[in-house]
Amino acid sequence: MGYDLVIVGGGIWGSSAARAAVAAGMRSVLLLEAGIGLAQESSAKSGGILTDLLTDPGDQALVTRSRALYQEAVDAGGDRSIMLPLGMLTLAEGESVGALTRRRQDLNDRGVAFELLDRSEVALRHPHLDRLADDAMALWTPSDCHVNPNAYAEQVVAQARPQGLEVHTNCRVERLDIGSAQPSVLTESGETYQASRILVTAGTWSRRLLRTADLDLPLLPYRVQLGSLQLAEPHRLPLVWHLASDVYLVPDGEYSLLGGDGTRLSESDPDDYQQTGDEEFEVNVATQLLQLSSLGDRAGLRSSWAGLAGGTPDRRPLLGRVAEGLFVACGDNGIGVMRGPAIGELAARVALDLATAPRLRPDRFPPDPFEIRAGFTLE
Ligand SMILES: Cc1cc2nc3c(=O)[nH]c(=O)nc-3n(C[C@H](O)[C@H](O)[C@H](O)COP(=O)(O)OP(=O)(O)OC[C@H]3O[C@@H](n4cnc5c(N)ncnc54)[C@H](O)[C@@H]3O)c2cc1C
């Protein structure tokens, strides 16, 4: 006798999958997480931006569903930090202005609230953005949010426990066994758990784990960096994304901003990568803040860090069956928090034969090398 479903990896995707499996009626679900708590890896290191600006219709639908699931978690537990409607200002100048104006029709068609602002209007509303280029324009999307993946994961798992979810943290799965009549996972500490189905949501470790069952995936981990900027005076900025430099700013309290700048598009090893930001990144983020705002004159970089994102050839997740009884959901492409609750839910429903996701099939590409491309773009 085993579990109905064993989920390996308790980041935001795995936690959401666990909640969805229980919500779908499964009464024996086990979530195994290697870390000491849920959502402590890439999920904890993220900037937490949730935006409707993604261009792929599939991604847009996942963001919409995730927004609803984040809201459900807020309503259930009362923790408003799970989703804060800060709004986002996407700044463009020169050649990048076209990318903003081209979004108008799509946003209109989808009923997403937005305003297109010129430089003087931006300055009026956000006096701290006092160093914008003369031709600067901005797209204001008031319903974009900051989300807290860790608080979300804790909340949905707490809701699911009384209904049949068992959670083991500090429990690293070493091997998947799909050769026997019932698939099983073997942990580092020697336990074996059998299940009717196994779902791997181990983020950028998923490929490594699948290889223990002689399976492979087109998944390339790459570094994404963020820095914490300490300000000398309080700010009231919303989320800010500067298209020309690809730098984004995330409010982190009155005197602090998180700053990120996209990615290092080369492969990294999930068990051995530089977990602090590199010097080039730190200089770039500080310089870009200086170029946008006089807040930068008296700001200091408190710390910087790097986490991993999982790149896929077409920047869509790899989600679905990989062998009899074995399913996977990975390949976040750096935008897995804004889509995470919905992806986790879909992965659980696919694993339980309650949904299909043919566009995301993990075998749609061979596991060959490919060029990693940033996921958070207006392309
Ligand atoms: C610096 C940075 C900024 C980012 N900013 C944003 C943003 O603003 N918006 C956005 O949408 N996305 C952002 N992202 C991306 C986002 O963080 C990820 O897409 C998301 O966290 C992926 O969630 P996950 O659950 O798939 O992975 P993870 O959170 O990494 O979860 C995978 C889990 O699996 C566990 N695990 C691994 N191997 C095993 C094993 N063998 N046994 C048991 N457990 C195992 C790990 O411990 C981990 O907890 C950012 C990422 C980084 C690094």
Side-chain angles (χ1 to χ4, degrees), residues 34-45:
I36 54 168
L38 299 171
Q40 299 290 319
E41 284 294 339
S42 294
S43 298
K45 295 175 176 178

Side-chain angles (χ1 to χ4, degrees), residues 175-180 182-186 198 212-213:
R175 199 151 59 79
L176 305 170
D177 183 357
I178 52 167
S180 333
Q182 200 173 31
S184 59
V185 302
L186 285 79
I198 296 169
T212 66

